[in-house]
């Protein structure tokens, strides 16, 4: 496989999030295979995360300062310019200086808004691949569908997280739709022993993740089982204070542990026995994939086709009705009370995650590059 020039373009590559972790994992993997990879972030993050300790890829940031708060909250609102013309011109010049010397390279555009930002730049000399890390339903309910139709239709490939999404987008006259699995960056040699009565959740503490529902569901399920289970919540965010208060109000505050950010998430999965995702909306669910790779059965809200690609109800986990704490509690209680069921589901989930291992996903990316070259 010949070395290629690959650029990943993100609106904010270093913020906390599953899609950010995915693109850094891909960049590191392609760099390890000898490709010349550059991670480009349009905006610097206000709270940058370190996803790769020793990156085998270049880094570049186009703006000198983070995006204005109003632009971050509602990027599609029209109004006064969010950046001065001089700032915009300087940022776009930086991007062109990175890409102009390259012929035969590939620009992986990680979001519709990044595609919108480069729409009028002279980048015809480089192949473009658009990615969308959310669900089709989320696109329909936001400006993203319009942007995908406008920009991705002209790219060499538009990639979505599962066949269901690709088929839905193809119905909008997008002839270049395809799927690309997100890689699971962790896959320990041995699965979790599932001996610790611990449930784990990981993600930003924001409204859509519905950690409030998870807390209520745990409080409802815990008294029904003999073992003293704990719920460990990994991550941080603006709702942390309110969620901690809610946890104590349930009467189980001593068994609901807020861990904040952790350096070694793999160890957290290996010390747990159930992984959860309680979101109202979720395009995919990296926490479910990582948990399954570590041999954990899952309880997840049936929030999207992407979630259902990772959790098959009754096979490697349990699906609950989105927004329904009682449904989530019933699924938790069933797994919490049945060790044999946890072991069987965890083993099936880990086996299914084989196709998401990084080497296999990198093979798919290199095959895509070959396809574009033809």
């Amino acid at each position: 496989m010949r070395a290629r020039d690959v650029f990943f373009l993100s609106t904010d590559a270093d913020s906390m999030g599953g899609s950010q972790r995915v693109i850094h994992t891909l960049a590191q993997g392609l760099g390890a295979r000898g490709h010349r990879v550059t991670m480009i972030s349009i905006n610097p993050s206000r709270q940058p995360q370190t996803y790769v300790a020793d990156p085998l890829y270049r880094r570049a940031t186009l703006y000198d300062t983070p995006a204005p708060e109003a632009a971050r909250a509602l990027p599609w609102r029209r109004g006064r310019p969010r950046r001065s013309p001089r700032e915009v011109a300087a940022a776009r010049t930086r991007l062109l200086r990175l890409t102009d010397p390259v012929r035969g390279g590939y620009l992986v555009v990680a979001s519709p808004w990044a595609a919108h930002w480069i729409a009028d730049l002279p980048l015809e000399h480089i192949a473009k691949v658009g990615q969308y890390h959310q669900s089709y339903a989320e696109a329909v309910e936001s400006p993203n569908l319009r942007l995908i139709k406008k920009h991705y239709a002209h790219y060499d490939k538009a990639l979505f997280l599962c066949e269901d999404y690709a088929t839905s987008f193809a119905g909008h006259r997008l002839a270049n739709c395809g799927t690309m699995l997100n890689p699971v960056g962790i896959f320990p040699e041995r699965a979790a022993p599932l001996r610790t009565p611990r449930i784990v959740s990981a993600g930003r503490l924001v409204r859509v993740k519905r950690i409030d529902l998870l807390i209520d569901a745990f409080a409802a399920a815990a008294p029904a089982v003999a073992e003293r289970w704990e719920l460990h919540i990994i991550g941080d965010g603006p709702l942390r204070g309110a969620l901690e208060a809610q946890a104590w109000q349930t009467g189980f505050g001593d068994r609901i542990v807020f861990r904040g950010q952790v350096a070694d998430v793999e160890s957290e999965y290996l010390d747990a026995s159930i992984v959860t995702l309680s979101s109202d909306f979720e395009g995919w669910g990296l926490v479910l994939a990582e948990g399954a790779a570590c041999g954990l059965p899952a309880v997840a809200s049936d929030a999207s086709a992407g979630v259902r690609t990772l959790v098959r109800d009754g096979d490697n986990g349990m699906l609950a009705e989105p927004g329904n704490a009682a449904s989530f509690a019933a699924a938790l209680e069933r797994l919490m009370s049945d060790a044999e069921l946890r072991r069987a589901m965890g083993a099936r989930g880990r086996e299914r995650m084989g196709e998401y291992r990084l080497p296999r996903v990198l093979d798919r990316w290199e095959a895509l590059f070959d396809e574009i070259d033809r």
Side-chain angles (χ1 to χ4, degrees):
M1 178 62 64
R2 66 180 177 85
R4 290 173 156 101
D5 292 287
V6 183
F7 300 89
F8 287 90
L9 178 69
S10 171
T11 55
D12 187 350
D14 296 323
S15 288
M16 185 192 313
S19 61
Q20 285 88 345
R21 190 186 305 179
V22 164
I23 60 174
H24 280 277
T25 299
L26 287 172
Q28 183 74 353
L30 290 170
R33 290 194 172 190
H35 299 289
R36 297 176 293 272
V37 183
T38 304
M39 177 72 68
I40 304 172
S41 182
I42 296 174
N43 301 294
S45 175
R46 294 178 181 275
Q47 295 180 311
Q49 308 295 307
T50 299
Y51 290 105
V52 177
D54 298 303
L56 300 175
Y57 50 92
R58 293 191 302 167
R59 304 294 308 280
T61 304
L62 303 183
Y63 283 119
D64 294 323
T65 58
E69 287 291 345
R72 293 174 68 243
L74 298 170
W76 57 88
R77 290 285 178 87
R78 295 184 180 275
R80 295 191 307 171
R82 304 181 188 97
R83 302 275 192 180
S84 71
R86 180 176 295 180
E87 284 182 296
V88 174
R92 294 187 172 196
T93 297
R94 287 172 181 168
L95 176 61
L96 294 176
R97 285 176 179 167
L98 289 167
T99 57
D100 275 354
V102 173
R103 291 297 181 272
Y106 312 85
L107 178 63
V108 180
V109 183
S111 76
W113 287 102
H116 190 63
W117 194 83
I118 64 169
D120 57 351
L121 292 180
L123 294 166
E124 295 82 2
H125 62 287
I126 192 166
K128 289 185 279 297
V129 176
Q131 280 193 292
Y132 189 56
H133 293 274
Q134 302 299 324
S135 70
Y136 173 73
E138 189 277 341
V140 170
E141 294 170 4
S142 73
N144 286 325
L145 178 59
R146 174 178 58 85
L147 294 177
I148 289 169
K149 290 164 61 178
K150 181 177 181 180
H151 301 304
Y152 285 13
H154 307 292
Y155 284 9
D156 295 89
K157 202 74 175 178
L159 298 177
F160 305 98
L161 294 173
C162 65
E163 290 291 345
D164 185 279
Y165 295 162
T167 299
S168 296
F169 281 105
H172 293 276
R173 298 182 180 179
L174 285 173
N176 59 348
C177 291
T179 62
M180 182 61 72
L181 302 181
N182 279 343
V184 178
I186 60 175
F187 208 102
E189 290 186 10
R190 294 186 178 182
L194 306 184
R195 287 192 291 266
T196 305
R198 181 181 300 171
I199 300 163
V200 66
S201 166
R204 275 184 50 77
L205 304 186
V206 294
R207 172 64 184 171
V208 71
K209 299 298 184 181
R210 294 306 310 271
I211 303 301
D212 60 321
L213 181 147
L214 175 60
I215 290 171
D216 285 343
F218 174 76
V225 295
E227 287 186 286
R228 189 181 189 279
W229 282 78
E230 292 184 350
L231 169 62
H232 284 222
I233 298 170
I234 299 169
D236 215 333
L239 296 184
R240 179 166 178 172
L243 293 170
E244 288 179 329
Q246 177 191 349
W248 285 104
Q249 289 167 4
T250 66
F252 290 89
D254 60 332
R255 293 162 64 176
I256 301 174
V257 184
F258 288 81
R259 302 293 302 279
Q261 295 301 310
V262 300
D264 184 4
V265 69
E266 180 177 315
S267 293
E268 301 298 328
Y269 293 124
L270 292 176
D271 286 340
S273 293
I274 300 172
V275 65
T276 62
L277 184 143
S278 49
S279 305
D280 281 338
F281 303 99
E282 196 76 43
W284 191 62
L286 182 60
V287 62
L288 297 175
E290 291 179 335
C294 294
L296 299 185
V299 174
S301 294
D302 188 3
S304 69
V307 170
R308 289 189 293 275
T309 64
L310 296 172
V311 181
R312 294 178 181 172
D313 191 32
D315 179 64
N316 64 314
M318 309 286 294
L319 291 175
E321 181 184 347
N324 188 327
S327 175
F328 209 96
L332 280 178
E333 182 183 333
R334 183 178 175 192
L335 275 177
M336 292 162 70
S337 60
D338 193 333
E340 185 55 39
L341 182 63
R342 293 196 300 272
R343 283 191 290 271
M345 286 187 168
R348 287 194 290 268
R350 181 171 160 88
E351 181 180 1
R352 290 187 58 229
M353 280 301 105
E355 63 179 320
Y356 291 87
R357 298 186 75 163
L358 182 58
R360 294 192 184 183
V361 176
L362 295 176
D363 289 344
R364 292 185 59 160
W365 274 99
E366 290 175 334
L368 175 64
F369 297 151
D370 288 339
E371 176 189 331
I372 292 172
D373 290 345
R374 291 194 293 269

